[in-house]
Amino acid sequence: MSTPPESIVEIENLCKSYRRGDQVIPVLENISLSVPVGQFLALMGPSGSGKTTLLNIVAGLDRADSGRLVVAGTEIGGLGEVDLAAWRARTVGFIFQFYNLIPVLSAFENVELPLLLTPLSRHERRSHVALALDLVGLHQRRSHTPSQLSGGQQQRVAIARALVSDPTLIAADEPTGDLDKVSAEEVLELLARLNAEFGKTIIMVTHDPRAAARAGRVLNLDKGALIA
Amino acid sequence: MAIPISYSLRNLWVRRLTTALTAGGMARVVFGFAAVLMLARGLEDTLVSTGSPDNALALRRSSQAEVQSILSADQAAVVETQPEIALDGQGVPLAQREVVVLISLTKQGGAGPGNVVVRGTSPLSLAMRRQVRLISGRMFKPGSSEIVAGKNIAQGFVGAGLGGALSFAKGSWRVVGVIDAGGTGFDSEIWGDLDQLRQAFRRNVYSSVLLTLREPGLYEPLRKRLEDDPRLTLEVKREQKYYEDQSEAMARFIRILGLALTIIFSVGAVLGAMITMYAAVANRTVEVGTLRALGFRRRDVLLAFLAESLLLSLLGGLAGLAGASLMQLVRISTTNWATFSELAFNFRLSPVIVLETLAFALGMGLLGGVLPALRAARLNIVEALRAE
């Protein structure tokens, strides 16, 4: 089960297809990929190329039909649903295109959510959340609900939520897709900082070449296959 | 740790109009549920508290109520001489022969006729029934055609107030006093002189003998001796048990009919809660997907939505209960089937009814919430995250 620490994601011959009625639609075909620890990887490609599906599988949200997938030392294809949920909570921080903050919770409570799944005390949780919000520059707005924040601020809260439990991997799906140019730049700057200063491994799906330019490695997918 | 309860609470607050409407529907059913229990409880309390713990009642065997019972003077004399009977300060045994007859009187406000219990007794019965006291006028004089009316009768029937006159048994009877029996059944009776009433109704028998025991523990030997005596064919009951038995049939009927109707109405409230919760799940599909992505398990999602439904029903339950508690101010007058006489009583709320009502409300919340919560818990993460 264990893999050498220098590679955080190891994928071999991964395949995924969807079934629509009698029709089988292949989404990913024989993907093999290795992502070293601390890499900032951008996955690019046209709509329907399978990049989000690949990200979802690597992050433990979806399952592959076949192939081998080891993430952070765990072969996640063999995990049951409850174990996979616990693995996600420990290992992956998520950033979504539309931020996906819980509207009825404050910024502080949104960031605290992943920590509710850890054995940390209330006091410890508070200090972790304060640190994460400080890092994204939103500590002053901790009691605001998402509707009281701009899009860029909401995405920064989502980034704080993604990193508060100190995950091994950050999975970002179009993190700048819903932001104006300035906000997008701030978010990308933050991701680059997380990667450079804190050594976080980031896998980012994006359409935006400017976003991809901030990544250390860019891979293109087309029709479910990686293009060299 | 599971998804915090504040998440469920705030979601209810965010859609407060829907919450209020759904909880209002539940409150209506809960109100009905609590009111039925309070009605039955009020009836029981009124009749059970009518009896005193150290009093016993001798009746003809198998008679359900005093109006059906007949005791001859010989039988009454045997009962009165039992050694378990307490004596008053003058050494007189606290045993009271009584005759109970039903008469028809006209209710106030053109509400038609109603049956009223007339009890032939003596002023001694006031000493034996300590919960009964005169609140106006005076006690009837022995040997006269004077009567005292229970306060419900004085208020509820034409001519039954203090100073009024009632015509029955071919005579006119003057109301010289009003008695308050503390909300018990005697509030719905008329009392007069035993011998005057026996003559007027041409009864040469008695309905019952009321006994005060020297101590409550002496009841069993007294009962055994009197019931085993072949001359008597009597039944001896504790006074409280006698009135409890009277309340049983009617209280059970109220409960069964009332609860059956309430349960039928509760189907609507459960469906209302279910629709509200299904809408909540549909509106928050992306949220559910996000929570699951963050690592919350299906069970956590299930519990969060169930908690929301239970909180909704608790809100409805408390509102319904608050409304029902106001019913304690309402007084109901109806025919007691055991005696066919008019009996007035209040709705009565007890801690047990509060708990039963809240359990009923939470039961509705659980039934209404379980399917939507299961739906939320079963959502596929990827599909949930893609939802519009």
Side-chain angles (χ1 to χ4, degrees):
Chain A
M1 293 280 278
S2 288
T3 54
E6 56 269 17
S7 179
I8 196 165
V9 179
E10 278 293 335
I11 303 172
E12 284 173 29
N13 301 320
L14 189 121
C15 293
K16 172 78 179 173
S17 57
Y18 288 117
R19 189 173 286 276
R20 189 176 294 158
D22 293 339
Q23 221 180 353
V24 176
I25 303 161
V27 184
L28 296 172
E29 289 181 283
N30 285 320
I31 303 278
S32 293
L33 171 68
S34 175
V35 180
V37 170
Q39 186 165 73
F40 187 171
L41 169 67
L43 287 174
M44 292 193 77
S47 293
S49 60
K51 51 191 190 305
T52 295
T53 303
L54 179 59
L55 182 72
N56 285 342
I57 292 172
V58 169
L61 296 179
D62 205 350
R63 291 185 187 271
D65 296 340
S66 62
R68 185 167 172 269
L69 172 63
V70 178
V71 183
T74 304
E75 190 161 349
I76 59 173
L79 294 179
E81 199 166 279
V82 173
D83 291 335
L84 188 61
W87 176 87
R88 278 197 306 272
R90 272 194 319 272
T91 316
V92 189
F94 289 93
I95 302 168
F96 302 96
Q97 179 177 0
F98 300 108
Y99 338 124
N100 291 25
L101 298 176
I102 307 296
V104 295
L105 301 181
S106 66
F108 186 95
E109 290 163 328
N110 266 291
V111 176
E112 193 187 18
L113 270 179
L115 297 182
L116 297 176
L117 296 163
T118 67
L120 293 179
S121 68
R122 186 180 164 84
H123 178 75
E124 289 168 322
R125 289 202 306 267
R126 292 179 78 87
S127 63
H128 279 62
V129 175
L131 263 175
L133 281 172
D134 262 344
L135 193 71
V136 298
L138 284 172
H139 193 247
Q140 297 301 317
R141 315 209 72 169
R142 61 188 177 279
S143 54
H144 290 218
T145 56
S147 61
Q148 296 167 319
L149 300 171
S150 69
Q153 287 169 332
Q154 287 188 57
Q155 194 60 298
R156 278 152 61 196
V157 172
I159 292 172
R161 181 179 68 185
L163 60 89
V164 72
S165 55
D166 194 23
T168 321
L169 174 70
I170 289 178
D173 188 3
E174 303 274 11
T176 57
D178 196 46
L179 298 177
D180 60 69
K181 200 174 161 188
V182 176
S183 300
E185 202 53 45
E186 282 173 5
V187 164
L188 288 170
E189 184 60 41
L190 203 49
L191 289 176
R193 226 183 112 200
L194 289 178
N195 176 245
E197 287 181 29
F198 300 94
K200 292 288 166 203
T201 307
I202 300 172
I203 303 180
M204 174 176 71
V205 164
T206 185
H207 271 110
D208 182 359
R210 279 174 308 168
R214 305 298 289 257
R217 180 186 178 193
V218 179
L219 287 174
N220 283 289
L221 271 115
D222 191 22
K223 294 175 185 163
L226 282 171
I227 304 165
Chain B
M1 191 192 284
I3 297 166
I5 196 83
S6 56
Y7 170 73
S8 306
L9 258 176
R10 285 183 211 169
N11 274 304
L12 286 176
W13 176 246
V14 163
R15 50 171 214 273
R16 41 195 175 275
L17 180 64
T18 316
T19 298
L21 290 173
T22 313
M26 286 181 143
R28 223 172 38 189
V29 176
V30 167
F31 173 87
F33 181 87
V36 164
L37 293 183
M38 286 166 67
L39 193 65
R41 181 60 193 257
L43 175 71
E44 281 169 346
D45 279 4
T46 299
L47 285 174
V48 171
S49 59
T50 300
S52 304
D54 50 357
N55 281 354
L57 205 59
L59 301 151
R60 191 186 66 184
R61 189 171 296 160
S62 304
S63 51
Q64 306 282 316
E66 284 175 291
V67 281
Q68 304 164 341
S69 170
I70 295 171
L71 263 70
S72 68
D74 295 345
Q75 289 175 324
V78 173
V79 172
E80 283 169 347
T81 54
Q82 298 303 308
E84 289 84 0
I85 298 172
L87 305 176
D88 70 3
Q90 281 79 47
V92 178
L94 291 175
Q96 176 63 54
R97 298 178 190 195
E98 293 189 327
V99 65
V100 172
V101 185
L102 278 184
I103 60 167
S104 181
L105 294 178
T106 308
K107 289 184 187 175
Q108 295 275 19
N115 287 344
V116 175
V117 166
V118 177
R119 183 178 294 277
T121 182
S122 83
L124 180 67
S125 71
L126 267 188
M128 295 172 72
R129 294 177 170 123
R130 269 165 256 144
Q131 73 273 42
V132 184
R133 61 192 177 87
L134 266 171
I135 50 170
S136 59
R138 57 176 173 78
M139 198 59 180
F140 59 82
K141 282 185 189 146
S144 70
S145 57
E146 293 176 347
I147 50 172
V148 293
K151 68 172 185 198
N152 295 335
I153 301 298
Q155 290 162 4
F157 287 86
V158 176
L162 183 64
L166 294 173
S167 293
F168 58 85
K170 294 182 181 168
S172 177
W173 303 79
R174 203 155 61 84
V175 182
V176 296
V178 176
I179 52 173
D180 181 350
T184 66
F186 299 124
D187 278 332
S188 302
E189 292 188 0
I190 289 171
W191 290 4
D193 179 68
L194 172 65
D195 292 326
Q196 289 295 312
L197 285 168
R198 281 178 67 216
Q199 280 173 24
F201 287 109
R202 297 182 185 176
R203 301 273 170 114
N204 55 2
V205 290
Y206 301 95
S207 302
S208 61
V209 180
L210 177 70
L211 309 166
T212 298
L213 302 172
R214 280 191 280 124
E215 49 186 275
L218 292 172
Y219 164 75
E220 205 45 45
L222 173 78
R223 183 195 66 79
K224 190 159 176 14
R225 188 174 332 105
L226 289 176
E227 290 188 358
D228 288 351
D229 191 328
R231 294 170 297 169
L232 298 176
T233 60
L234 286 184
E235 190 172 357
V236 180
K237 282 186 175 178
R238 284 190 188 275
E239 198 186 16
Q240 279 186 329
K241 173 75 176 133
Y242 167 77
Y243 285 107
E244 195 180 319
D245 289 350
Q246 282 201 354
S247 69
E248 200 179 312
M250 194 156 163
R252 192 186 299 147
F253 175 78
I254 291 172
R255 281 208 180 92
I256 291 175
L257 182 70
L259 294 185
L261 285 173
T262 310
I263 286 165
I264 292 167
F265 291 140
S266 74
V267 173
V270 167
L271 286 175
M274 201 179 280
I275 290 165
T276 302
M277 290 310 299
Y278 267 128
V281 174
N283 287 333
R284 306 216 300 271
T285 303
V286 177
E287 272 178 58
V288 172
T290 307
L291 289 167
R292 296 285 318 284
L294 294 179
F296 287 98
R297 292 165 297 174
R298 288 185 192 277
R299 198 180 69 184
D300 298 322
V301 172
L302 179 89
L303 290 177
F305 277 91
L306 264 188
E308 198 167 314
S309 177
L310 289 174
L311 284 168
L312 184 67
S313 64
L314 184 65
L315 196 67
L318 290 173
L321 207 50
S325 70
L326 295 176
M327 293 297 287
Q328 289 183 103
L329 305 172
V330 176
R331 195 160 183 78
I332 289 251
S333 182
T334 188
T335 303
N336 177 7
W337 296 347
T339 60
F340 299 105
S341 63
E342 203 71 13
L343 180 73
F345 54 96
N346 282 79
F347 286 81
R348 197 155 297 172
L349 189 61
S350 69
V352 173
I353 293 177
V354 170
L355 290 178
E356 284 173 344
T357 305
L358 289 181
F360 172 72
L362 290 174
M364 284 199 293
L366 191 68
L367 277 177
V370 72
L371 288 178
L374 276 172
R375 183 178 186 157
R378 284 180 183 159
L379 285 171
N380 175 284
I381 303 177
V382 173
E383 286 170 14
L385 286 171
R386 275 199 204 123
E388 287 295 313

